[in-house]
Amino acid sequence: MAVISRGFGARRRESEPELPPGQYLTTDFPVLSAGPTPQIELTEWQFVIADRSGPLQSWSWDEFTALPAEDVHTDIHCVTRWSKLGTQWRGVSLAEIFAGVSTSDDYTMVHSYGGYTTNIPLADLLDGQAWLAYEFDGEPLEPEHGGPVRLLVPHLYFWKSAKWVRGIVLQPDDDPGFWEQNGYHTYGDPWQEQRYW
């Protein structure tokens, strides 16, 4: 069952040419979720990189927040047609997370607390394209927006930026995640309007 926030004001793309096709500009931050917001204690939070053989690396909250962090200024685009420009995040680059991981796999499945999954090619998580974000607008990321940590992959539709992220599994094939199994595009490029299959 989806959870959706109150309505929000928006402007059409014609007045904002930096928006991808079919998008509307909003200054709000709508909340859309595939289920209830999980309650995650920081003492219990863990992030794991794994492959078919099992865990490769893991971080507790203290270990994770001790990693080098970056400030990220970016636009975000939701498949439901809203876009928010110039958002401010802080988090750890996936390039940092994968620095010690060796793999021949080309794909990943992102896993969240609460059971949500989404598939992303590994190449789209590296080279300064994706982060594990734990702050928004200078404040700890609120649970309804994916806190304590969400994936941030701003060059793809926002459903790929999984909330409440807990791990990434490396895999050889591009298997579909939750929304992809339900008709969403397997990749999700907003500039190509890759909303659905």
Side-chain angles (χ1 to χ4, degrees):
M1 176 172 143
V3 177
I4 302 174
S5 71
R6 60 177 171 39
F8 55 94
R11 292 200 305 265
R12 290 185 175 275
R13 180 176 190 265
E14 291 77 20
S15 64
E16 301 289 342
E18 66 269 36
L19 294 178
Q23 294 294 110
Y24 294 85
L25 179 65
T26 182
T27 56
D28 292 338
F29 195 168
V31 175
L32 298 99
S33 299
T37 300
Q39 300 302 311
I40 305 159
E41 296 294 332
L42 296 183
T43 55
E44 302 297 320
W45 184 89
Q46 183 180 46
F47 185 80
V48 178
I49 298 290
D51 64 11
R52 295 173 307 284
S53 65
L56 300 174
Q57 289 190 330
S58 66
W59 294 263
S60 68
W61 178 255
D62 289 341
E63 292 167 337
F64 169 70
T65 54
L67 294 172
E70 299 177 6
D71 292 319
V72 182
H73 180 84
T74 191
D75 305 335
I76 55 177
H77 310 289
C78 183
V79 71
T80 61
R81 301 189 181 272
W82 62 261
S83 288
K84 186 172 176 63
L85 304 182
T87 61
Q88 301 282 346
W89 305 82
R90 185 164 180 79
V92 177
S93 169
L94 266 291
E96 174 74 27
I97 294 292
F98 278 98
V101 175
S102 177
T103 183
S104 60
D105 292 331
D106 292 326
Y107 300 99
T108 70
M109 186 67 73
V110 180
H111 292 262
S112 296
Y113 290 93
Y116 179 81
T117 59
T118 191
N119 58 305
I120 303 175
L122 178 58
D124 285 272
L125 297 179
L126 305 178
D127 299 324
Q129 298 181 90
W131 297 264
L132 296 178
Y134 56 87
E135 287 185 8
F136 178 76
D137 274 350
E139 299 292 334
L141 187 60
E142 296 180 10
E144 61 265 28
H145 290 301
V149 179
R150 81 174 297 152
L151 184 62
L152 178 63
V153 189
H155 67 281
L156 300 177
Y157 280 123
F158 213 44
W159 92 80
K160 294 290 188 176
S161 294
K163 296 179 180 181
W164 315 300
V165 68
R166 66 176 176 85
I168 296 175
V169 177
L170 296 157
Q171 52 191 40
D173 301 310
D174 194 16
D175 297 326
F178 175 82
W179 283 118
E180 297 82 11
Q181 291 177 32
N182 288 284
Y184 279 42
H185 197 278
T186 57
Y187 185 65
D189 182 342
W191 294 97
Q192 300 297 317
E193 283 201 274
Q194 294 176 337
R195 300 177 194 276
Y196 311 106
W197 286 29

mmCIF file of all heavy atoms in Angstrom, residues 16 23 37 70 72 76 81 87 99 103-104 111 143 146 154 181:
data_model
loop_
_atom_site.group_PDB
_atom_site.id
_atom_site.type_symbol
_atom_site.label_atom_id
_atom_site.label_comp_id
_atom_site.label_asym_id
_atom_site.label_seq_id
_atom_site.Cartn_x
_atom_site.Cartn_y
_atom_site.Cartn_z
ATOM 1 N N GLU A 16 10.165 25.875 -16.812
ATOM 2 C CA GLU A 16 11.413 25.457 -16.174
ATOM 3 C C GLU A 16 12.126 24.465 -17.102
ATOM 4 O O GLU A 16 12.011 23.249 -16.953
ATOM 5 C CB GLU A 16 11.129 24.790 -14.818
ATOM 6 C CG GLU A 16 10.410 25.655 -13.819
ATOM 7 C CD GLU A 16 11.281 26.771 -13.260
ATOM 8 O OE1 GLU A 16 12.518 26.689 -13.372
ATOM 9 O OE2 GLU A 16 10.712 27.726 -12.709
ATOM 10 N N GLN A 23 7.798 16.473 -16.332
ATOM 11 C CA GLN A 23 7.927 16.746 -14.903
ATOM 12 C C GLN A 23 7.344 18.113 -14.546
ATOM 13 O O GLN A 23 7.258 19.013 -15.389
ATOM 14 C CB GLN A 23 9.398 16.711 -14.495
ATOM 15 C CG GLN A 23 10.052 15.350 -14.613
ATOM 16 C CD GLN A 23 9.491 14.332 -13.665
ATOM 17 O OE1 GLN A 23 8.819 13.398 -14.090
ATOM 18 N NE2 GLN A 23 9.751 14.470 -12.384
ATOM 19 N N THR A 37 6.612 3.367 7.418
ATOM 20 C CA THR A 37 7.970 3.813 7.734
ATOM 21 C C THR A 37 8.547 2.945 8.839
ATOM 22 O O THR A 37 7.999 2.901 9.940
ATOM 23 C CB THR A 37 7.958 5.283 8.181
ATOM 24 O OG1 THR A 37 7.436 6.076 7.117
ATOM 25 C CG2 THR A 37 9.338 5.760 8.557
ATOM 26 N N GLU A 70 30.482 13.806 2.021
ATOM 27 C CA GLU A 70 30.451 14.851 1.006
ATOM 28 C C GLU A 70 29.131 15.596 1.089
ATOM 29 O O GLU A 70 28.094 15.019 1.429
ATOM 30 C CB GLU A 70 30.564 14.239 -0.398
ATOM 31 C CG GLU A 70 31.835 13.466 -0.643
ATOM 32 C CD GLU A 70 31.874 12.827 -2.021
ATOM 33 O OE1 GLU A 70 30.953 13.074 -2.846
ATOM 34 O OE2 GLU A 70 32.821 12.079 -2.284
ATOM 35 N N VAL A 72 26.273 17.253 -1.129
ATOM 36 C CA VAL A 72 25.773 17.021 -2.483
ATOM 37 C C VAL A 72 24.652 18.013 -2.763
ATOM 38 O O VAL A 72 23.672 18.085 -2.014
ATOM 39 C CB VAL A 72 25.249 15.572 -2.632
ATOM 40 C CG1 VAL A 72 24.773 15.329 -4.059
ATOM 41 C CG2 VAL A 72 26.314 14.567 -2.226
ATOM 42 N N ILE A 76 16.316 16.355 -7.921
ATOM 43 C CA ILE A 76 15.725 15.022 -7.824
ATOM 44 C C ILE A 76 14.413 14.987 -8.604
ATOM 45 O O ILE A 76 13.703 15.990 -8.668
ATOM 46 C CB ILE A 76 15.520 14.577 -6.353
ATOM 47 C CG1 ILE A 76 14.696 15.598 -5.566
ATOM 48 C CG2 ILE A 76 16.861 14.315 -5.684
ATOM 49 C CD1 ILE A 76 14.389 15.186 -4.136
ATOM 50 N N ARG A 81 6.071 12.408 -11.382
ATOM 51 C CA ARG A 81 6.150 13.637 -12.179
ATOM 52 C C ARG A 81 6.568 14.887 -11.426
ATOM 53 O O ARG A 81 6.639 15.956 -12.015
ATOM 54 C CB ARG A 81 4.865 13.891 -12.984
ATOM 55 C CG ARG A 81 4.557 12.754 -13.944
ATOM 56 C CD ARG A 81 3.427 13.097 -14.887
ATOM 57 N NE ARG A 81 3.135 11.976 -15.774
ATOM 58 C CZ ARG A 81 3.728 11.743 -16.946
ATOM 59 N NH1 ARG A 81 4.654 12.553 -17.375
ATOM 60 N NH2 ARG A 81 3.391 10.699 -17.681
ATOM 61 N N THR A 87 18.440 20.489 -4.309
ATOM 62 C CA THR A 87 18.365 19.907 -2.960
ATOM 63 C C THR A 87 19.768 19.762 -2.375
ATOM 64 O O THR A 87 20.756 19.613 -3.093
ATOM 65 C CB THR A 87 17.657 18.549 -2.977
ATOM 66 O OG1 THR A 87 18.387 17.633 -3.809
ATOM 67 C CG2 THR A 87 16.229 18.682 -3.492
ATOM 68 N N ALA A 99 35.282 0.976 -2.345
ATOM 69 C CA ALA A 99 36.721 1.091 -2.583
ATOM 70 C C ALA A 99 37.470 -0.209 -2.297
ATOM 71 O O ALA A 99 38.426 -0.548 -2.995
ATOM 72 C CB ALA A 99 37.298 2.236 -1.764
ATOM 73 N N THR A 103 34.946 -7.235 -7.533
ATOM 74 C CA THR A 103 33.851 -8.057 -8.053
ATOM 75 C C THR A 103 33.894 -8.096 -9.572
ATOM 76 O O THR A 103 34.392 -7.170 -10.214
ATOM 77 C CB THR A 103 32.481 -7.509 -7.602
ATOM 78 O OG1 THR A 103 31.452 -8.376 -8.069
ATOM 79 C CG2 THR A 103 32.238 -6.102 -8.131
ATOM 80 N N SER A 104 33.360 -9.162 -10.141
ATOM 81 C CA SER A 104 33.166 -9.249 -11.588
ATOM 82 C C SER A 104 31.697 -9.038 -11.944
ATOM 83 O O SER A 104 31.332 -9.070 -13.121
ATOM 84 C CB SER A 104 33.639 -10.613 -12.106
ATOM 85 O OG SER A 104 32.903 -11.650 -11.481
ATOM 86 N N HIS A 111 18.827 -3.291 -0.943
ATOM 87 C CA HIS A 111 17.861 -3.796 0.032
ATOM 88 C C HIS A 111 17.642 -2.759 1.128
ATOM 89 O O HIS A 111 18.586 -2.124 1.594
ATOM 90 C CB HIS A 111 18.365 -5.102 0.655
ATOM 91 C CG HIS A 111 18.406 -6.241 -0.306
ATOM 92 N ND1 HIS A 111 17.413 -7.188 -0.391
ATOM 93 C CD2 HIS A 111 19.325 -6.576 -1.246
ATOM 94 C CE1 HIS A 111 17.710 -8.070 -1.324
ATOM 95 N NE2 HIS A 111 18.878 -7.725 -1.866
ATOM 96 N N PRO A 143 12.835 10.122 9.134
ATOM 97 C CA PRO A 143 12.423 8.767 8.748
ATOM 98 C C PRO A 143 11.497 8.714 7.540
ATOM 99 O O PRO A 143 11.651 7.838 6.681
ATOM 100 C CB PRO A 143 11.734 8.237 10.007
ATOM 101 C CG PRO A 143 12.405 8.970 11.129
ATOM 102 C CD PRO A 143 12.665 10.353 10.578
ATOM 103 N N GLY A 146 13.392 8.599 4.477
ATOM 104 C CA GLY A 146 14.348 7.507 4.317
ATOM 105 C C GLY A 146 15.399 7.403 5.390
ATOM 106 O O GLY A 146 16.290 6.555 5.308
ATOM 107 N N PRO A 154 20.754 10.574 -7.983
ATOM 108 C CA PRO A 154 19.928 11.632 -8.555
ATOM 109 C C PRO A 154 19.784 11.617 -10.070
ATOM 110 O O PRO A 154 18.875 12.255 -10.601
ATOM 111 C CB PRO A 154 20.636 12.909 -8.083
ATOM 112 C CG PRO A 154 22.018 12.507 -7.763
ATOM 113 C CD PRO A 154 21.939 11.089 -7.300
ATOM 114 N N GLN A 181 9.323 -5.124 -10.729
ATOM 115 C CA GLN A 181 8.465 -6.304 -10.900
ATOM 116 C C GLN A 181 7.009 -5.904 -11.114
ATOM 117 O O GLN A 181 6.210 -6.702 -11.594
ATOM 118 C CB GLN A 181 8.549 -7.209 -9.661
ATOM 119 C CG GLN A 181 9.880 -7.894 -9.492
ATOM 120 C CD GLN A 181 9.923 -8.701 -8.214
ATOM 121 O OE1 GLN A 181 8.917 -9.243 -7.759
ATOM 122 N NE2 GLN A 181 11.095 -8.786 -7.608
#
